[in-house]
């Protein structure tokens, strides 16, 4: 049984781990010298998950941010040649955002940076501990109580998810 103190400690540990993950990922990104911010990398990864170039509003909704924030991020990525604005073929008033070849190269580098950051973070864990952690994280992320029963799908580990 957990006590309020142990739940507070657990919450604090989760927040500390989150900050550590962000710091390590940021370091790995800087090491690769891609010249993009973590927020821009998130937008680029999100953009890559659309089947066709989305509108700015679609990106804002998916990222759960205001459209103005997306405009600023797209401006930066466009200036670095990673995305471009293209007119919608069905409605010339609508602008869509597509990933360029330079952006696809950056996405590959981002995946590698995230993978190496994850390897660094998980290095102290054994294979068995990683399996348990995966099940626990799946339970927390999905919130459905499936827990370790969902390990067969391996969640986001090794699936190439961004």
């Amino acid at each position: 049984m957990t006590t309020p103190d142990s739940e507070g400690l657990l919450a604090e540990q989760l927040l500390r781990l989150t900050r550590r993950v962000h710091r390590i990922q940021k370091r790995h990104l800087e090491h690769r010298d891609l010249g993009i911010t973590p927020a821009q990398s998130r937008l680029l990864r999100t953009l890559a998950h659309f089947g066709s170039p989305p509108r700015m509003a679609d990106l804002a909704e998916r990222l759960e941010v205001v459209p103005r924030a997306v405009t600023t991020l797209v401006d930066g990525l466009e200036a670095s040649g990673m995305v471009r604005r293209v007119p919608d073929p069905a409605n010339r008033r609508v602008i869509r955002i597509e990933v360029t070849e330079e952006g696809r190269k950056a996405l590959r580098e981002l995946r590698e940076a995230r993978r190496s950051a994850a390897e660094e973070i998980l290095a102290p864990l054994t294979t068995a501990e990683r399996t348990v952690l995966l099940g626990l994280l799946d339970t927390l992320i999905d919130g459905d109580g499936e827990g370790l029963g969902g390990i067969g799908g391996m969640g986001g580990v090794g699936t190439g998810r961004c």
Side-chain angles (χ1 to χ4, degrees):
M1 185 167 148
T2 61
T3 65
D5 290 337
S6 67
E7 289 174 1
L9 177 61
L10 181 59
E12 180 60 30
Q13 292 291 76
L14 286 170
L15 290 173
R16 288 178 64 202
L17 177 60
T18 300
R19 286 191 296 267
R20 181 169 183 250
V21 166
H22 285 267
R23 268 193 324 272
I24 290 171
Q25 284 184 351
K26 184 177 179 183
R27 182 170 36 85
H28 281 261
L29 279 176
E30 288 169 354
H31 177 71
R32 292 176 182 275
D33 198 27
L34 294 174
I36 61 175
T37 67
Q40 288 173 328
S41 72
R42 182 173 176 237
L43 183 134
L44 196 57
R45 289 190 323 270
T46 301
L47 187 55
H49 287 288
F50 281 90
S52 60
R55 300 172 305 138
M56 295 257 215
D58 299 328
L59 284 167
E61 183 179 328
R62 180 83 55 95
L63 292 168
E64 297 178 349
V65 298
V66 296
R68 176 70 189 127
V70 170
T71 300
T72 302
L73 294 171
V74 168
D75 287 346
L77 289 170
E78 186 175 41
S80 63
M82 294 188 198
V83 302
R84 68 177 149 249
R85 289 173 166 92
V86 295
D88 183 310
N91 182 347
R92 65 187 178 107
R93 293 173 299 177
V94 174
I95 299 297
R96 297 190 174 269
I97 310 303
E98 72 178 11
V99 179
T100 64
E101 184 55 39
E102 189 67 27
R104 284 187 279 283
K105 288 178 192 172
L107 278 166
R108 287 190 290 275
E109 287 289 321
L110 287 169
R111 283 186 195 103
E112 252 331 288
R114 289 170 63 88
R115 192 171 293 119
S116 61
E119 287 172 10
E120 180 179 334
I121 292 164
L122 296 172
L125 301 179
T126 66
T127 301
E129 289 169 330
R130 289 177 187 209
T131 301
V132 170
L133 179 61
L134 176 63
L136 294 171
L137 290 173
D138 279 347
T139 298
L140 293 175
I141 291 167
D142 296 340
D144 63 6
E146 290 292 318
L148 295 173
I151 287 181
M154 293 304 285
V157 174
T159 63
R161 269 198 212 165
C162 291

